[in-house]
Amino acid sequence: KGLGIIFISHKLDEVLALCQRVAVLRHGRKVLDVAAAGTQKADLAHAMVDRLVEMPEARPREPGAPVLELEGVGVAPAPGIEPLNDLALTVKAGEILGIAGVSGNGQRSLAALIAGTVRPERGHLRFAGEAWPSGGPKAVVAAGVGRIPEDRHRQGVVGDMAVWENLALEGYDTPACRRFGLLRLDAFRRRAKALAERFDIRCSSVESATRLLSGGNMQKLILARALEPMPRLILASQPTRGLDIGAVAAVHRHLLDARTRGAAVLLITEDLDELLQLSDRVRVLYRGQLGPSRRRAEIKLAALGLEMAG
């Protein structure tokens, strides 16, 4: 109809499919302005992050023993909680199980269940062959579950607290962080500096307020806090939502490294590209029920889309 459209997105496939011309902004400056025709995703990615971006690949491997097991698990509907009906699933050591589905079909309830913020109405959960830890999130984390929540701002960090404080939130009462009943704040700060370097958390100082971090750096902070204790089970719920391709590559690399060392990963994502890049097996969650398990090589996108739509 003759309208001009400005389309703002970090999803490069969408940009190249819809647009005639593409501009890239980096640190508030336009660093690239090209015709979409003939431009490659790699060119845009390089301009966005000022370096070559290589997406890691999940190489086939044999999984180990079951780490997470659900049998006949149900969750009743409640405000902010979607129902789950007789869920049965297993995630083994050294594998990534991807959960696909349209938002609102029970993903948040499943994540809350594993994170320890919701209890099942019926059924059984087991962790490495033992009863699921009781006592809520604190007990779940202490047992060896790393949690990457869906909403980094509301569930992942306390924005007004410093970077080092957020990194300490789930481990402040461990013996290594206390002396004679007092918190060792110097130890927290040293640990935060080491984690910021290891996970490439870019901030002016670990004393900076966490709300000042970019989305990608905030997510890397959450990853550092969740993965540094070497958890046996990792809950990754929408781990790259809203991130640029450089941050996405970093998140994927850390999850695959955890898989390589033997961690079990439950990946809940609405991004089908991410699902197929990382998952060893995929199941669809639709109206609180899980579909059959399929290995990545067996999956066809069209069939997956139909299953997600019921």
Side-chain angles (χ1 to χ4, degrees):
K1 296 181 179 179
L3 295 175
I5 299 173
I6 299 176
F7 180 73
I8 301 174
S9 176
H10 62 276
K11 292 190 174 294
L12 303 185
D13 287 321
E14 290 183 352
V15 169
L16 292 175
L18 291 173
C19 303
Q20 288 74 49
R21 207 159 48 83
V22 184
V24 173
L25 299 181
R26 188 176 72 238
H27 302 311
R29 295 180 181 275
K30 185 170 71 172
V31 296
L32 186 70
D33 192 335
V34 294
T39 300
Q40 303 297 315
K41 284 171 59 176
D43 301 327
L44 298 181
H46 189 287
M48 288 167 67
V49 298
D50 197 25
R51 65 182 186 277
L52 290 174
V53 178
E54 293 185 13
M55 298 300 293
E57 294 183 17
R59 302 188 182 281
R61 56 169 292 149
E62 283 298 316
V67 176
L68 171 66
E69 296 173 274
L70 275 64
E71 289 184 1
V73 169
V75 171
I81 296 297
E82 305 135 355
L84 297 176
N85 304 307
D86 297 321
L87 290 196
L89 66 79
T90 299
V91 190
K92 297 180 179 180
E95 79 163 349
I96 298 178
L97 174 63
I99 303 296
V102 178
S103 179
N105 277 278
Q107 296 95 322
R108 289 182 180 176
S109 299
L110 177 58
L113 193 69
I114 306 307
T117 58
V118 166
R119 292 189 177 185
E121 184 182 47
R122 59 190 176 276
H124 303 283
L125 289 84
R126 285 194 293 274
F127 183 73
E130 304 290 335
W132 187 255
S134 60
K138 185 174 182 179
V140 167
V141 171
V145 178
R147 308 178 306 160
I148 303 168
E150 174 182 348
D151 189 332
R152 69 182 72 97
H153 296 279
R154 298 180 61 184
Q155 299 170 316
V157 302
V158 181
D160 287 333
M161 293 176 72
V163 168
W164 72 265
E165 290 175 306
N166 274 284
L167 283 167
L169 279 178
E170 293 187 349
Y172 64 90
D173 59 350
T174 58
C177 297
R178 294 179 300 178
R179 180 180 293 162
F180 307 119
L182 300 176
L183 294 178
R184 301 176 59 194
L185 301 186
D186 56 336
F188 286 131
R189 288 183 169 92
R190 286 196 301 271
R191 173 176 171 268
K193 290 176 182 177
L195 288 175
E197 183 174 348
R198 176 179 159 194
F199 285 83
D200 192 28
I201 305 169
R202 301 186 184 187
C203 54
S204 57
S205 163
V206 296
E207 305 290 342
S208 301
T210 302
R211 59 181 167 77
L212 300 178
L213 297 181
S214 67
N217 284 301
M218 197 177 289
Q219 194 73 345
K220 285 188 279 188
L221 183 156
I222 294 168
L223 276 168
R225 186 179 64 206
L227 301 184
E228 192 257 351
M230 307 284 279
R232 299 173 70 182
L233 171 65
I234 298 164
L235 166 67
S237 183
Q238 316 297 346
T240 60
R241 178 179 284 170
L243 303 185
D244 66 50
I245 192 167
V248 169
V251 172
H252 286 187
R253 191 174 299 109
H254 285 301
L255 291 177
L256 289 173
D257 286 347
R259 167 186 179 263
T260 298
R261 69 164 175 78
V265 181
L266 180 64
L267 171 66
I268 303 174
T269 180
E270 296 164 24
D271 187 327
L272 295 186
D273 289 334
E274 177 170 71
L275 196 78
L276 298 180
Q277 285 171 6
L278 296 181
S279 304
D280 297 290
R281 294 185 294 118
V282 173
R283 300 185 69 179
V284 171
L285 186 60
Y286 177 71
R287 292 187 177 178
Q289 294 184 310
L290 280 169
S293 173
R294 293 185 176 87
R295 299 199 67 80
R296 178 176 50 200
E298 304 167 353
I299 294 171
K300 292 181 171 53
L301 274 177
L304 187 64
L306 288 173
E307 191 176 347
M308 289 167 60

